[in-house]
C-alpha cells in the first residue's frame, strides 16, 4: 500500500468519526493556541517597551544620593551644583546634565490650590526629559541667571487652577512667593514619569536659583542627563558614581537609574509569565496526546475485524502501522493548524486592544507545527503498533 493510499484511508476514517476526531483535537488546539498567543503577546510587549524607551531616550540616566529624602541625613552627602559642573568637565561622553531639586508644596491662585512637586532645574530640562511644551515656553538661560520668578506647570496643574482659561501670564503663589506662569508642559508619557517623586503629572518647574531662594537650600536631589551614545551609558554611570564618592569622601553613597533597568525588569517578568503559561500549554499538549492515544486504541478495538481482513488479503504490518500512525498524525496536525489560527487571532486581537505592535513569530509557528506532528507520532505509535501486531485469524474471529 502506497503512502497516498494510507493517507486517504486515514482521512476517510476521520471523516467517518468527525465529532470524535474534533474532540480529540481539542487538547492540541488549546495547547498550540496558548503557545502562539503567549509568544506573540510577549514579543508585542517587548516591542511596546522599546517604543517607550525611544520616547524617553535610551541613553538617559538619573544620579541621586542613596540618602536623599531621609531625615537627619548628612548634608555632605547631598548632590551640589558643583558636582554637576565637575561631572560635565570629567565626562566628555555626557551630552547634557541638569540639576533637579524637589520640594512637595502647594500652588495657589485666588481661592484654588493644588498639591504639586515643585522642581528647581535649568532650561535644558525639557530637552533632556523630552517633554513637549503644550503652550508658552520653558524658561531661558537669561531667566535662570537672573533668578526670575517664573514657573512652568504641567497640564494637570493648569486644568485644576485655571480650567478653560489661559494660564499664561497669570500669577501663582509658590511657598508665599508670586511667580508668573510662562509655559504649560504636555502630559509626561515617558517611562521616567514612574520614577519621579510626587504626584504624577502634578509638577511645577522653577529656575534653579529661584527655587533655591524660595526654599533657602542649595541642595540638588538629582542629576539628570544623557550620553552621546547608548553604548556609553553604563560606563558613564560607573564613572560618575566614582567621581561623586571621591568628591564627597564617601563609599558607595550614590546610585543611578536608567530606562534599561525598567526594560530588564519587564523582560524578567515577561519570561516568568511566558514560562508559567508555556508550562500550562505543555500540559495541555500532553493531555491532548494522551487523548489521541486513547481514541486510537478505541479505534484499533473497533476495527479489529477490518485489520484482520486487510492482513488476510495481503496487507503487511508496516501498512497497518503507517495508516494508524497517519491517522494520529493528521489529527494532531489539523489540531495544530487550528491552534495556530486561534492563537494568532487571539494574540492580534490582544495587541489591538492593548495598542501593542502586532508581531507574529515565525519560529513559534514552525515549532508549534513540528511539535504537533511529534505529539501525533509519539502518542499514536503504541496504538498503531498494537494494530500492526494483530494476528489475522484472531482479528477475524474478534466479536
Amino acid at each position: 500500500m502506497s503512502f497516498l493510499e494510507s493517507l486517504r484511508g486515514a482521512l476517510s476514517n476521520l471523516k467517518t468519526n468527525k465529532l470524535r476526531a474534533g474532540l480529540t483535537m481539542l487538547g492540541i488546539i488549546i495547547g498550540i493556541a496558548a503557545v502562539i498567543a503567549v509568544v506573540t503577546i510577549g514579543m508585542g510587549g517587548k516591542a511596546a517597551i522599546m517604543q517607550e524607551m525611544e520616547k524617553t531616550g535610551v541613553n538617559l540616566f538619573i544620579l541621586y544620593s542613596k540618602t536623599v529624602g531621609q531625615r537627619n541625613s548628612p548634608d555632605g552627602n547631598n548632590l551640589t551644583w558643583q558636582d554637576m559642573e565637575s561631572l560635565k568637565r570629567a565626562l566628555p561622553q555626557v551630552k547634557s546634565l541638569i540639576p533637579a531639586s524637589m520640594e512637595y508644596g502647594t500652588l495657589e491662585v485666588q481661592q484654588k490650590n493644588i498639591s504639586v512637586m515643585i522642581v528647581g532645574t535649568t532650561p535644558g530640562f525639557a530637552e533632556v526629559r523630552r517633554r513637549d511644551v503644550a503652550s508658552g515656553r520653558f524658561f531661558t538661560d537669561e531667566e535662570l541667571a537672573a533668578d526670575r520668578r517664573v514657573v512652568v506647570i504641567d497640564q494637570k496643574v493648569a486644568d485644576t487652577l485655571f480650567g478653560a482659561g489661559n494660564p499664561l501670564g497669570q500669577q501663582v503663589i509658590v511657598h508665599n512667593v508670586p511667580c508668573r506662569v510662562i509655559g504649560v508642559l504636555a502630559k509626561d508619557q515617558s517611562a521616567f514619569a514612574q520614577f519621579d517623586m510626587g504626584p504624577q503629572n502634578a509638577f511645577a518647574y522653577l529656575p534653579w536659583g529661584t527655587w533655591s531662594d524660595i526654599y533657602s537650600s542649595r541642595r540638588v536631589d538629582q542629576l539628570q542627563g544623557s550620553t552621546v551614545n547608548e553604548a556609553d551609558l553604563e560606563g558613564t554611570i560607573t564613572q560618575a558614581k566614582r567621581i561623586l564618592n571621591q568628591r564627597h569622601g564617601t563609599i558607595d553613597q550614590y546610585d543611578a537609574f536608567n530606562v534599561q533597568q525598567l526594560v530588564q525588569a519587564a523582560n524578567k517578568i515577561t519570561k516568568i509569565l511566558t514560562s508559567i503559561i508555556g508550562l500550562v500549554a505543555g500540559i495541555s499538549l500532553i493531555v491532548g496526546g494522551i487523548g489521541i492515544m486513547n481514541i486510537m486504541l478505541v479505534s484499533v478495538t473497533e476495527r479489529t475485524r477490518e485489520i484482520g481482513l486487510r492482513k488476510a488479503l495481503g496487507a503487511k504490518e508496516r501498512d497497518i502501522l503507517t495508516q494508524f500512525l497517519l491517522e494520529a498524525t493528521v489529527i494532531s496536525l489539523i489540531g495544530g493548524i487550528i491552534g495556530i489560527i486561534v492563537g494568532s487571532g487571539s494574540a492580534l486581537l490582544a495587541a489591538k486592544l492593548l495598542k501593542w505592535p502586532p508581531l507574529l513569530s515565525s519560529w513559534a509557528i514552525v515549532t508549534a507545527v513540528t511539535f504537533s506532528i511529534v505529539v501525533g507520532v509519539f502518542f499514536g505509535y503504541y496504538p498503531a503498533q498494537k494494530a500492526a501486531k494483530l494476528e489475522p485469524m484472531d482479528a477475524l474471529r474478534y466479536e
Side-chain angles (χ1 to χ4, degrees):
M1 179 181 287
S2 67
F3 176 82
L4 289 178
E5 288 178 341
S6 297
L7 181 60
R8 280 196 294 267
L11 291 173
S12 175
N13 183 63
L14 293 179
K15 287 181 181 179
T16 305
N17 300 280
K18 293 179 182 178
L19 179 60
R20 186 167 69 184
L23 292 174
T24 306
M25 294 175 190
L26 194 57
I28 302 296
I29 293 172
I30 294 172
I32 296 297
V35 170
I36 297 296
V38 168
V39 172
T40 302
I41 292 173
M43 290 177 62
K46 289 182 180 179
I49 292 171
M50 292 304 298
Q51 286 182 353
E52 287 300 314
M53 281 187 65
E54 292 297 331
K55 288 181 185 177
T56 306
V58 293
N59 55 349
L60 297 186
F61 61 89
I62 294 177
L63 291 164
Y64 59 93
S65 171
K66 292 181 179 180
T67 56
V68 64
Q70 295 180 8
R71 293 183 179 181
N72 302 320
S73 61
D75 291 339
N77 292 344
N78 291 333
L79 295 170
T80 65
W81 185 279
Q82 289 72 28
D83 289 332
M84 178 181 67
E85 297 296 341
S86 178
L87 290 176
K88 284 182 179 179
R89 291 191 299 268
L91 302 173
Q93 67 270 31
V94 172
K95 180 180 179 182
S96 55
L97 193 64
I98 60 168
S101 302
M102 304 179 185
E103 281 288 348
Y104 192 64
T106 302
L107 260 60
E108 300 178 15
V109 176
Q110 297 177 354
Q111 302 299 318
K112 296 181 180 180
N113 63 76
I114 181 175
S115 296
V116 300
M117 184 60 72
I118 302 167
V119 182
T121 187
T122 59
F125 176 87
E127 180 181 355
V128 170
R129 293 293 295 272
R130 299 193 178 186
R131 296 294 303 275
D132 295 326
V133 179
S135 60
R137 59 179 176 81
F138 213 78
F139 46 81
T140 63
D141 289 325
E142 290 76 16
E143 289 168 328
L144 173 70
D147 295 342
R148 295 283 175 80
R149 293 181 176 181
V150 293
V151 61
V152 178
I153 58 178
D154 278 320
Q155 188 66 57
K156 180 178 178 179
V157 179
D159 294 340
T160 302
L161 295 181
F162 301 100
N166 183 9
L168 300 181
Q170 301 293 327
Q171 279 197 342
V172 297
I173 306 301
V174 182
H175 201 62
N176 299 319
V177 176
C179 296
R180 180 169 55 89
V181 178
I182 61 170
V184 178
L185 294 184
K187 184 178 179 181
D188 189 1
Q189 302 285 359
S190 73
F192 265 106
Q194 308 302 322
F195 188 72
D196 282 326
M197 295 182 292
Q200 189 175 358
N201 298 313
F203 286 77
Y205 304 91
L206 301 171
W208 188 82
T210 305
W211 183 96
S212 181
D213 291 341
I214 290 176
Y215 290 101
S216 302
S217 174
R218 306 292 293 177
R219 79 173 195 275
V220 174
D221 294 318
Q222 298 174 351
L223 290 175
Q224 305 182 10
S226 63
T227 57
V228 176
N229 300 309
E230 181 187 352
D232 296 330
L233 185 60
E234 291 297 331
T236 300
I237 290 174
T238 300
Q239 293 180 57
K241 290 192 292 185
R242 177 177 53 79
I243 292 171
L244 290 173
N245 280 307
Q246 288 177 348
R247 283 181 54 82
H248 292 263
T250 56
I251 300 175
D252 195 28
Q253 175 59 39
Y254 301 94
D255 210 342
F257 169 84
N258 61 76
V259 176
Q260 292 180 7
Q261 293 172 345
L262 288 179
V263 175
Q264 291 170 1
N267 285 340
K268 186 175 181 180
I269 294 172
T270 301
K271 286 180 181 179
I272 293 172
L273 292 176
T274 302
S275 299
I276 293 173
I277 300 176
L279 179 61
V280 174
I283 294 173
S284 177
L285 285 172
I286 293 173
V287 171
I290 293 172
I292 290 175
M293 180 183 289
N294 182 50
I295 292 302
M296 293 307 297
L297 286 171
V298 172
S299 180
V300 169
T301 302
E302 290 179 345
R303 297 160 62 188
T304 299
R305 290 178 64 83
E306 173 196 332
I307 294 168
L309 181 60
R310 289 183 58 192
K311 295 190 78 171
L313 293 175
K316 298 179 180 179
E317 284 190 7
R318 70 168 179 270
D319 297 327
I320 304 299
L321 180 67
T322 299
Q323 182 174 349
F324 278 86
L325 267 180
L326 278 175
E327 288 185 19
T329 303
V330 168
I331 289 175
S332 189
L333 183 59
I334 294 175
I337 293 172
I338 296 173
I340 290 170
I341 295 171
V342 173
S344 300
S346 301
L348 294 176
L349 178 61
K352 184 176 181 179
L353 294 175
L354 295 171
K355 298 181 180 179
W356 285 354
L359 300 175
L360 286 175
S361 172
S362 57
W363 69 263
I365 293 175
V366 172
T367 302
V369 172
T370 304
F371 195 76
S372 64
I373 293 173
V374 170
V375 168
V377 172
F378 181 81
F379 286 98
Y381 183 78
Y382 175 72
Q385 188 182 46
K386 183 178 179 181
K389 293 294 184 181
L390 286 174
E391 292 295 333
M393 295 304 296
D394 292 337
L396 288 170
R397 286 197 297 266
Y398 182 80
E399 291 294 336

